[in-house]
Amino acid sequence: MKVMTFNIRVDIPGLQENAWRERYKGVSQVINDQSPVIVGMQEANKSMISDVMQNLLKYDWTGEPRRKDDEGTPIFYRTDLFTLLDSNTFWLSETPDEVGSMSWNTSYPRVCTWAEFSLIKEPNTRFRVFNTHLDHMSKEARIQGIKLIGETIHRLNQTSHLPFLLMGDFNDVPSSKTLQYCEKELHLKNAFMTIDEPVKEQLTFHDFKGEVQGEPIDFIFTSQDVIISDSKIIRTKMEQGYPSDHYPVTVEIELKK
């Protein structure tokens, strides 16, 4: 299965040639061209989701915005392949069930959306997906946010231990405490270990410039019981420009039997 994480850059005034109206068809085209079965989006509000869905076939989505009419971290999935069994959005704060809550000097409310799926052809095969967007300013918020996500993963696994994916815009680089927590404390596998590019040429936030020199901040992690076979940074440029200021990242995975 191919999965994708994609920060699509929220629709705000002042982007001019990179305005959402010039980009949303490109976002849909990239998804259709890559054909991921799961997409974790960041910076997507309800109207943007509606625009993207106009050109997507066989997909539905789940998730809640960080505040009313604001952006969120929705999870898109193929309805012909998966049944959505359960899902929830929680806030990366000291009061995770409180809509719009903020802690740890975060600049905006930050959320994580998770979903549990079963395969339609094999209903007993289940897995979970966690999709997040960590704070871009506060190091403390990133570290505490990822720890809260880890606690949520552990709590859900106490009920039923399932293979899972953790993806999103982490706003941090591989050597950071945030990413090291994922690998050393949560014991997750970083899909970038399979990518066929030098570490210093794995830039994922390019600010609509198309650059490649730099380190990634967008990641897909998996639990140990998921097989990772390939990972790619998708640098597709449309006729009208790049579909986002982030490159989407794709990973080929297999759930162990």
Side-chain angles (χ1 to χ4, degrees), residues 3-63:
V3 298
M4 172 186 284
T5 182
F6 197 177
N7 182 325
I8 63 171
R9 185 60 159 101
V10 71
D11 181 16
I12 58 173
L15 290 180
Q16 300 174 344
E17 70 270 15
N18 296 314
W20 177 245
R21 66 178 178 275
E22 305 296 332
R23 298 189 289 111
Y24 75 89
K25 291 182 180 177
V27 170
S28 301
Q29 183 177 329
V30 167
I31 294 172
N32 283 327
D33 288 348
Q34 292 297 318
S35 298
V37 297
I38 297 286
V39 184
M41 281 190 193
Q42 302 86 43
E43 297 197 25
N45 63 35
K46 191 173 182 180
S47 65
M48 295 170 71
I49 293 171
S50 178
D51 290 337
V52 171
M53 286 291 286
Q54 290 179 32
N55 300 296
L56 293 184
L57 300 176
K58 300 180 180 179
Y59 287 90
D60 202 353
W61 63 278
T62 184

Side-chain angles (χ1 to χ4, degrees), residues 63-121:
E64 298 293 334
R66 64 189 187 184
R67 292 179 294 205
K68 185 178 180 181
D69 300 324
D70 202 347
E71 66 181 73
T73 55
I75 297 171
F76 286 66
Y77 61 97
R78 284 272 300 271
T79 56
D80 58 325
L81 300 176
F82 306 119
T83 300
L84 177 64
L85 301 175
D86 196 5
S87 69
N88 189 37
T89 297
F90 61 95
W91 280 257
L92 304 184
S93 75
E94 294 172 331
T95 52
D97 296 326
E98 182 182 333
V99 176
S101 58
M102 298 189 292
S103 301
W104 312 306
N105 299 312
T106 186
S107 51
Y108 296 98
R110 297 294 182 178
V111 296
C112 178
T113 296
W114 65 265
E116 182 177 324
F117 299 100
S118 65
L119 274 61
I120 290 176
K121 290 185 176 180

Side-chain angles (χ1 to χ4, degrees), residues 122-187:
E122 300 177 38
N124 290 330
T125 301
R126 297 181 295 148
F127 66 100
R128 295 190 185 101
V129 178
F130 297 81
N131 179 37
T132 194
H133 186 184
L134 300 180
D135 197 66
H136 68 301
M137 296 291 289
S138 170
K139 177 180 178 180
E140 182 186 11
R142 290 192 293 273
I143 294 172
Q144 295 300 328
I146 199 65
K147 286 182 177 179
L148 181 59
I149 293 170
E151 291 168 4
T152 304
I153 291 171
H154 178 70
R155 176 175 54 79
L156 290 170
N157 276 340
Q158 294 282 78
T159 304
S160 56
H161 195 282
L162 298 177
F164 65 87
L165 314 173
L166 169 58
M167 61 178 67
D169 177 355
F170 288 70
N171 271 312
D172 236 335
V173 295
S175 60
S176 67
K177 289 185 177 180
T178 307
L179 276 293
Q180 292 301 302
Y181 178 84
C182 293
E183 295 183 11
K184 295 181 178 179
E185 299 297 326
L186 296 181
H187 305 291

